[in-house]
Amino acid sequence: MAMINLKEAASRFDFEKVMPKANDWVQATVDYEGRGAAELRYPKATIAGPFTARFDEEGTSQIETVFDNIFPHDPGYDGPPIALLCGATKTQSGWGFGGMDNPCESLSFETDQGLFMSTGKIDWAGMNFGTQPTRLRFAVREGKLETKNTSPAKFFAVPLVNCVAELSNYLSGDHPLRIYPTPALPEDVPEDLKSLARMTANQKNSVLGFSIEGNLFFIERLSDYDARAASLRSGATRRKITAVLVGEVGASPTGTLAELRSWFPFDILSALSFASGSEVGFPWIEIRDEEGALIRRLHGGARMPSFFEGDDVFGKFSRPGAGEFITRFMALPRERRRLLQVVMNHALVGSLGPHLFLYDIVDHLVRALDTLCRGHGLMQQNLCAGLTSAAQDAVKSITADTTSRLRQLADGASQAGNLSDYRLLKRIEGRAANMGNSENMLGLAAVDLLRKWGFPDVQIIDNVLVQAGRPDWAHLISAYRNDTLHEGHLDFENKHDAAEVARVCAHLKDALTRCLLKECGYSGTYESVLRSSYGPQNADWVTPITDSKTLGF
């Protein structure tokens, strides 16, 4: 393509016509205000008056009323209003007062946006009275705003909290819920400037796209993403809506959260969190029509994690990246996804960093490893089966001799009437008889897991450890697992080397990541925590000739 003089090009075509403009439709805080009522259970009563509700990106919700009236349903009820709220009943000495014991069964009020109503359990959140008007506060577990828009549901939109995933895809065509819609090229673009105009129009066309059962989903950052992400990374805030997830609802029901839960793929969030290195949540879910207009907003069941920056598995240059990984993950059977969710959640928190104590990071990583090994049925090992024939014969001979001697000791104890020794010796005899057969050791299971995927890590590491007179990798991992599980921590003053533990954690995290990529059938590149300065790697980057120092040993 010939060089273009930008000044001369700008004199021939107004590039503002194709400059992307932000469509800031995502709200970080939603407010509702209107008149309505709350219904109390016993004694039955209605609270009527003005209500307000606020939900924000921090996960805070507040619903309250400075009510006009409380109407008892029993016309013979002659107690004071406060007695109705407290669920008090009349006694011989007067009215008995308790806590806020009259359950609220339902709450609704009409706003200029539509009808807000509870769809789940309601708790009392407080009350103040005295010289000021009595103010009642409610905590609604689940609720929704139902607008007057009666159009069919077309899309769901989920504001994403703390999502810092790298975007590696373009989205072709128009979509009403794009944050930065890509302008169409007008007819008056000179032919020789069309490429430049197209580049200008697509400069904000960046999404994370993936598909589930043939349906397209995409994630796009908010227009002020940079400022929001900087606020999270600086520690100024713990939660920020940074992006939005959009997809089609198809024929699935969307009237309430309960209906949505019956089909919505919430496990996307675990895969997205693992892929991006930061746990992702959501404050509410919106249902919109084909024009992008709001039909209803569903509140409740929000997942609102605090921000921490872990290991970004898919960086800016990883290809095809997080979208392909999520697509592959979501194509797995549901039971397999449930298992891998647990592994990913532990592996995510197992990132090295200041968010946890080092021994807690070890704990999460060995839990992830344990879960994955159990999912493959590897936790029970037959020790003799892995030996050569000669070694198997030797072990069997030693086992038989040892068992025979223990049996003689047990018989002697029995004959001497020492039943306490007899019971314990018989138990020891039983263990000795099986000492070459079964074992339940995480380290050995992990060796089999890495071998299953063709990863040569253990052989490389063991060559170094054994030459140094150290326990092999399997026993090292098992020892860390047992210490964190049974002692609750690692003793860095007297027993453990913090630098070595950190290196072991980095290797475990990378090995788990490679296993997860293989589990999902992802064949692209990723960011290895062991090779952060070398750019994206594929899952098989470790070979038999890899230097052990690269693995941290």
Side-chain angles (χ1 to χ4, degrees), residues 325 328 332 340 372 376 449-450 452-455 511-523 538-541:
F325 172 75
R328 296 277 183 171
L332 296 173
L340 296 185
L372 198 50
H376 283 278
L449 179 68
L450 296 188
K452 174 183 176 67
W453 293 119
F455 299 149
L512 282 165
T513 299
R514 285 181 278 140
C515 287
L516 285 165
L517 298 183
K518 290 283 191 178
E519 290 275 356
C520 296
Y522 175 83
S523 58
N538 61 54
D540 293 310
W541 69 267

Side-chain angles (χ1 to χ4, degrees), residues 139-199:
V140 174
R141 304 278 185 93
E142 292 184 8
K144 68 174 179 176
L145 173 75
E146 192 74 34
T147 72
K148 296 179 176 64
N149 184 354
T150 59
S151 300
K154 177 69 173 179
F155 304 110
F156 65 78
V158 186
L160 297 178
V161 172
N162 298 353
C163 178
V164 292
E166 290 292 342
L167 311 180
S168 56
N169 306 109
Y170 293 100
L171 187 62
S172 300
D174 295 330
H175 196 290
L177 295 178
R178 287 295 306 273
I179 299 299
Y180 275 104
T182 302
L185 297 190
E187 294 182 358
D188 62 342
V189 182
E191 189 65 33
D192 63 325
L193 297 183
K194 282 186 176 180
S195 293
L196 182 58
R198 192 172 291 110
M199 289 174 58

Side-chain angles (χ1 to χ4, degrees), residues 31 49 63 106 113-114 221 226 379 384 391 410 418 453 497 542:
D31 291 289
I63 301 174
S106 66
Q113 304 171 59
R221 292 172 174 174
D226 289 341
M379 285 305 295
C384 272
N418 189 345
W453 293 119
D497 177 7
V542 179

